[in-house]
Amino acid sequence: MARKEKLRLGAFLMIPGHHVASWRYEHSNAEGVLDYGFYRQAAKTAERGKFDMVFLADGYAVHERFPQALEQAVQVRLEPLTLLSALAADTERIGLAGTVSTTYNEPFHVARKFASLDYISRGRAAWNVVTSNTEDEARNFSRDKHLLHELRYERAEEFVDVVRRLWDGWEDGALLADKEGARFADRSKIHRTDHQGKWFQVQGPLNVARPPQGHPVVIQAGASEPGKELAARTAEVIFTAWQTLEEAQAFYRDVKGRLARYGRQPADLKIMPGVFPIIGRTEEEAREKKARFEELIPVEAGVALLSGLISFDLSPYPVDGPLPELPQLEQVNGGKSRFLLLKDIADRDGLTIRQLYQRIAGARGHREILGTPAQIADQLQEWFENEAADGFNIMPPYLPGGLEDFVDLVVPELQRRGLFRTEYEGETLRDRLGLRRPDNSFAAKPAGSSASAG
């Protein structure tokens, strides 16, 4: 069934690629992991392809539990907000999305940084809201253990609420710069946050005026019950991971169906599953690429990756044996949705530990699609037109070539089918995603219902 709107595309930039062995692949730029020029090239390639945004993941630890894997996997990355601020100067239209955790940050800092990025980029900033879930991260922030799953989401919900109130603290038009009248700002349009909650006490107002987009676009990635509820209330884009059309459709219906109770419409939320494309000019070439990546995976790195994703140490178990008996879902204090997804794959297909880490070493639980440009486009079109996705977060296996192949070979195919834009529309990331500019929560109140700053 044809849809009136176009699909959305994000370029998920993991340097030098999403496959755990990408740094060993002969056509990847393994030396460019900390090279700003490499990121700039990738962002400009995505912009040439008319992508909606580039997206950066983040974490706050080097994971040392598996010493050999520490030697065999890329564990360094540039800090997203610093990097995106630089990219704002070297790009013109593409959105700039960065991950910042609500577990080990403060709302005032996050609100100020993303408001600043939105000004620097002239309305192209997006915040990917995550909760941190590893003890390695906890130990870098004066904790022995990370917060329980339900508490992480409770804190995240309050965190997002405070950030949004901070963004609203200055109404549109509060800045006057009236030299003759000696009024730089209209005090009646500046509001304290005055938040007193379980996790945060924040006076406000923010010392940055309301961002150009009103609020930078809010992205969320959780697929657990608390994650879906948080997304339905606060998110404008969801990055999610599903293997089958039926699973993706069920998630799409579920989350979109929750929006009404928060006074929201289905168009207020874009669902963009992650997709790991292996592209060949022939299907045989694509399969040869996949096989080459699989043979480059060091065993220790594969086991470590899988162990981290399911929050369970698999290193004592035979790599060519089945998964051991895993804990019940309620006992998992890491990423619950990813744990369940990977366990289901192993159970459904009868995979050994080695086969499972080979299966997920690139997509990491997201959907892998393989084939010619037309075959890749077929698979994206099927999900888009059957309400399993509003767009996709593209995860190139390696860089720069994996993204260049998508832009040069797949994007033209999507454009020929009328599924994707040929030129950017609108001025801001919100415009391009088809998201409305949010009302100011203070301005919408009757006069005198909230205290002004001062």
Side-chain angles (χ1 to χ4, degrees), residues 13 21 70 96 107 128 138 205 255 261 303 326 358:
L13 301 184
L70 179 62
L96 304 168
N128 181 42
V255 178
R261 62 174 172 260
V303 172
L326 297 175
Q358 287 177 336

Side-chain angles (χ1 to χ4, degrees), residues 15-16 22-25 27-34 38 74 399-400:
I15 305 293
S22 61
W23 68 274
R24 298 187 69 200
Y25 187 58
H27 300 299
S28 73
N29 180 0
E31 294 76 25
V33 174
L34 300 176
F38 192 8
V74 177
L399 291 168

Side-chain angles (χ1 to χ4, degrees), residues 80-211:
L81 270 293
T82 307
L83 175 56
L84 291 174
S85 295
L87 290 175
D90 281 329
T91 56
E92 296 180 0
R93 308 298 295 278
I94 197 163
L96 304 168
T99 298
V100 174
S101 171
T102 60
T103 309
Y104 299 119
N105 284 287
E106 288 289 325
F108 193 95
H109 284 141
V110 172
R112 188 180 186 215
K113 289 175 180 178
F114 277 100
S116 299
L117 179 61
D118 211 40
Y119 274 102
I120 292 168
S121 66
R122 299 180 303 282
R124 294 187 282 141
W127 169 32
N128 181 42
V129 180
V130 301
T131 64
S132 298
N133 61 12
T134 71
E135 291 183 6
D136 288 322
E137 291 174 294
R139 286 190 284 267
N140 286 335
F141 292 89
S142 306
R143 287 178 171 270
D144 293 326
K145 301 280 185 182
H146 56 286
L147 288 171
L148 292 174
H149 186 270
E150 59 270 22
L151 293 179
R152 295 200 302 271
Y153 276 94
E154 180 185 277
R155 176 185 167 101
E157 187 167 350
E158 186 177 333
F159 194 113
V160 174
D161 287 345
V162 176
V163 167
R164 284 182 153 161
R165 292 286 279 178
L166 285 164
W167 285 334
D168 282 348
W170 294 65
E171 294 182 38
D172 296 326
L175 288 181
L176 301 175
D178 178 3
K179 295 181 180 180
E180 288 295 322
R183 295 181 71 209
F184 185 77
D186 182 346
R187 185 179 176 188
S188 70
K189 293 185 176 182
I190 307 170
H191 307 274
R192 283 184 177 174
T193 308
D194 285 334
H195 176 84
Q196 298 289 325
K198 175 178 176 179
W199 295 95
F200 306 107
Q201 294 79 47
V202 181
Q203 174 183 284
L206 198 65
N207 55 350
V208 180
R210 196 167 196 245

Side-chain angles (χ1 to χ4, degrees), residues 290-311:
K290 176 179 170 63
R292 177 60 177 152
F293 279 118
E294 287 183 355
E295 71 184 27
L296 291 174
I297 304 170
V299 172
E300 295 85 355
V303 172
L305 174 67
L306 183 56
S307 297
L309 288 171
I310 66 172
S311 305

Side-chain angles (χ1 to χ4, degrees), residues 330-349:
E330 58 270 17
Q331 298 173 289
V332 175
N333 195 27
K336 289 181 181 287
S337 58
R338 196 56 53 87
F339 169 87
L340 194 58
L341 185 147
L342 297 182
K343 183 177 183 300
D344 286 348
I345 292 173
D347 291 345
R348 182 177 65 234
D349 297 339

